[in-house]
Amino acid sequence: MTIDEVVQLTRARSQKDLHPVQEIILRQVWEGKTYTSIASASHYGEHYLRNIASGLWQSLSEILQTPISKSNFRSSLESRSLRVEEREFIQEFLRSQCLVTPLEFPGSPVPLGSPFYINHPLIEELAYREIAKPGSVLRIKAPRKMGKSSLLLRILDRANSLGCRTVSLDFQQAEEAVLDNLDKFLRWFCANISRHLELPPLLDDYWDEDMGSKVSCTIYLQQYILAEISSPLVLALNEVNRIFEYPKIAREFLPLLRSWHEEAKRIKTLEKLRLIVLHSTEIYIPLKLNESPFNVGLPLQLPYFTEEQILALAQRHGLDLTDSPDRLMAMVGGHPYLVRLALYHLCQNSVTLDRLLQEAPTMAGIYKDYLRSFWVTLQEYPELAFALKQVVKSERGVELDPIVASKLVSMGLIHIDNNRCTLSCELYRLYFGSPNFI
């Protein structure tokens, strides 16, 4: 058995999801990690982990009908395959979950409780622990459609369960006129926080032209918003990369976020504020190290799916890709959205896997809209298009200008390994290898 099969069987036998801490223990012990190293990586106490593990080994012993302990966990299970009845039990459990949850078209955040969400236990637990800390900053960076919003839903849900108030602001909703003026932007920012918390927007009572917009915004947040609510406030700032397009706003607003984090160490009211910053691109606006919010707090980066996760997600869709997860992986590189879109269409019986892979890089394929959006963006930035073309033509990868390379990484188009840039997946090589591209 693989560790994914062990997890699936455990979930199916117990008829419920594992607690994230249990899954962390299983996966880390499978890799040979000690409780001490697991505690260090996950920021849980070692004694707590040992207690959870003790109950976990007992449950696994009952489920698998063989004595299981930390010392024999992998050696006992890796050498044996899932029995036919065990595979059928897993399939039945997955089918029952899918019957309860209608098939979702990919593109929006995966709803809470959905069987189509792939957990990242270590990442999620780190995030949950961070938002419980006074004055904390959590930074989530990943290319678009990698699952940032889905993860955010779960972080905010955990924050609510901890008794926090939560507000999520999407900077894509800010109008051009708002982003052209710092005062208008900060008033928009404060007004929207008030609206989400169902508080009257008393901006004029706290805004003082002589003190300036940044001080007025801070006073409004500290003396009104945080003073009015009794619970900590988890404030999620989504699509912060939109701010990067407005350097004047970014140079003032981003250091302001950093200042709140620093002042929380000495001002009791600001301890109640916990920030989550989500963005998909790098910031190229020069900020002093002691002013940037991107070198404090906990950084999290979302990973691509593994073949095992693709196979598990296919099973949750009622699909058997046992013999072909590597073919889908080779085409889309484990990109969560591209994988889910493929599984959605396969589940709808609208296309076979062979045809899906054949048409994937064409205008007849299921990825045509996704790929076209990249094409349009790259035509607007010829230096990025030219650099991508160089990567497409290279079999071993090429070295690019660091800023150009990091922009292509932020778009999810390339990976960088030892300064050499390679494409993220074959889909991009086939599509951008067209003679019509630049």
Side-chain angles (χ1 to χ4, degrees):
M1 278 192 282
T2 66
I3 182 57
D4 288 293
E5 288 173 332
V6 173
V7 170
Q8 289 170 19
L9 182 58
T10 306
R11 291 172 65 240
R13 288 294 188 192
S14 57
Q15 291 292 298
K16 63 181 180 181
D17 279 330
L18 289 169
H19 188 280
V21 178
Q22 294 176 309
E23 190 165 344
I24 287 171
I25 291 171
L26 289 181
R27 292 185 181 278
Q28 295 289 301
V29 169
W30 188 271
E31 295 299 321
K33 301 293 177 61
T34 65
Y35 289 128
T36 302
S37 64
I38 299 171
S40 176
S42 65
H43 300 283
Y44 279 104
E46 185 176 339
H47 181 69
Y48 172 73
L49 291 177
R50 288 180 180 275
N51 284 340
I52 296 293
S54 176
L56 189 56
W57 305 136
Q58 183 177 344
S59 296
L60 283 172
S61 299
E62 296 171 359
I63 289 170
L64 298 165
Q65 298 182 337
T66 187
I68 298 294
S69 65
K70 181 180 183 295
S71 59
N72 74 352
F73 174 48
R74 182 163 182 168
S75 59
S76 296
L77 301 181
E78 192 173 28
S79 58
R80 88 165 178 89
S81 301
L82 282 172
R83 301 186 183 97
V84 174
E85 63 271 19
E86 290 173 334
R87 290 189 182 278
E88 291 175 350
F89 199 85
I90 291 171
Q91 289 292 338
E92 183 58 36
F93 174 68
L94 294 171
R95 275 195 295 270
S96 68
Q97 284 192 307
C98 293
L99 287 173
V100 173
T101 307
L103 187 62
E104 306 152 2
F105 185 81
S108 301
V110 183
L112 296 172
S114 169
F116 305 118
Y117 178 76
I118 293 293
N119 292 92
H120 304 290
L122 190 54
I123 291 175
E124 288 154 15
E125 281 303 304
L126 286 173
Y128 298 157
R129 293 176 69 83
E130 188 66 18
I131 58 162
K133 298 177 182 177
S136 59
V137 175
L138 179 62
R139 297 180 282 117
I140 305 174
K141 176 180 174 293
R144 67 191 185 102
K145 294 188 179 294
M146 279 289 292
K148 296 188 297 297
S149 296
S150 298
L151 175 60
L152 178 62
L153 274 182
R154 283 146 184 85
I155 297 173
L156 295 180
D157 181 63
R158 175 59 65 91
N160 284 322
S161 72
L162 294 174
C164 299
R165 301 291 299 273
T166 60
V167 171
S168 181
L169 299 184
D170 188 342
F171 288 148
Q172 295 284 11
Q173 296 178 352
E175 299 172 1
E176 193 90 16
V178 168
L179 291 165
D180 274 340
N181 181 280
L182 180 63
D183 189 69
K184 284 185 178 179
F185 172 73
L186 292 179
R187 289 178 70 94
W188 173 90
F189 178 78
C190 290
N192 275 278
I193 295 175
S194 303
R195 176 177 59 84
H196 280 281
L197 294 173
E198 299 181 339
L199 294 172
L202 305 179
L203 296 171
D204 292 335
D205 292 353
Y206 291 86
W207 228 257
D208 189 315
E209 186 177 338
D210 294 330
M211 288 192 298
S213 302
K214 290 165 67 175
V215 174
S216 297
C217 177
T218 302
I219 292 173
Y220 186 86
L221 182 70
Q222 182 183 336
Q223 296 185 10
Y224 177 48
I225 297 291
L226 296 175
E228 283 290 321
I229 60 176
S230 57
S231 307
L233 172 63
V234 176
L235 177 58
L237 308 179
N238 211 343
E239 297 293 346
V240 172
N241 39 282
R242 176 84 193 281
I243 301 295
F244 303 166
E245 301 169 19
Y246 299 85
K248 290 182 180 179
I249 299 293
R251 288 192 192 99
E252 301 291 348
F253 180 64
L254 297 177
L256 184 61
L257 298 180
R258 169 67 179 257
S259 73
W260 294 340
H261 169 70
E262 295 292 343
E263 289 180 2
K265 298 173 185 176
R266 61 182 185 84
I267 299 176
K268 202 72 176 174
T269 311
L270 282 173
E271 281 187 358
K272 294 164 67 176
L273 180 65
R274 293 95 199 263
L275 292 172
I276 306 176
V277 180
L278 292 85
H279 61 111
S280 57
T281 59
E282 299 286 356
I283 176 170
Y284 302 102
I285 296 144
L287 294 173
K288 295 178 182 178
L289 285 177
N290 62 349
E291 292 182 347
S292 173
F294 298 103
N295 55 15
V296 295
L298 176 69
L300 294 178
Q301 202 151 5
L302 292 177
Y304 288 81
F305 286 163
T306 63
E307 283 190 18
E308 290 77 14
Q309 288 173 322
I310 292 175
L311 189 59
L313 190 56
Q315 291 175 332
R316 297 180 194 185
H317 282 74
L319 298 168
D320 183 6
L321 293 186
T322 307
D323 299 325
S324 50
D326 55 327
R327 296 174 62 201
L328 185 55
M329 170 68 89
M331 179 59 73
V332 302
H335 189 291
Y337 169 72
L338 301 182
V339 169
R340 289 196 66 226
L341 190 60
L343 296 179
Y344 175 85
H345 284 278
L346 291 172
C347 198
Q348 296 287 73
N349 295 317
S350 60
V351 66
T352 64
L353 181 60
D354 287 337
R355 183 179 168 189
L356 185 152
L357 296 176
Q358 182 181 354
E359 294 181 345
T362 73
M363 285 296 96
I366 64 171
Y367 301 125
K368 58 182 181 296
D369 295 331
Y370 177 80
L371 293 169
R372 189 187 299 118
S373 67
F374 277 132
W375 188 290
V376 170
T377 299
L378 290 166
Q379 297 304 316
E380 294 176 0
Y381 298 93
E383 73 281 7
L384 296 184
F386 178 76
L388 183 63
K389 196 72 171 180
Q390 288 181 273
V391 182
V392 169
K393 291 178 178 178
S394 171
E395 293 183 2
R396 298 183 178 180
V398 296
E399 290 193 29
L400 298 175
D401 172 82
I403 291 181
V404 170
S406 60
K407 287 181 178 179
L408 291 174
V409 169
S410 297
M411 294 172 71
L413 292 171
I414 68 169
H415 296 309
I416 301 178
D417 186 16
N418 292 326
N419 293 328
R420 301 198 71 80
C421 302
T422 57
L423 290 171
S424 298
C425 61
E426 186 64 14
L427 177 67
Y428 300 146
R429 183 180 303 282
L430 296 172
Y431 183 75
F432 294 110
S434 164
N436 296 325
F437 182 61
I438 72 166

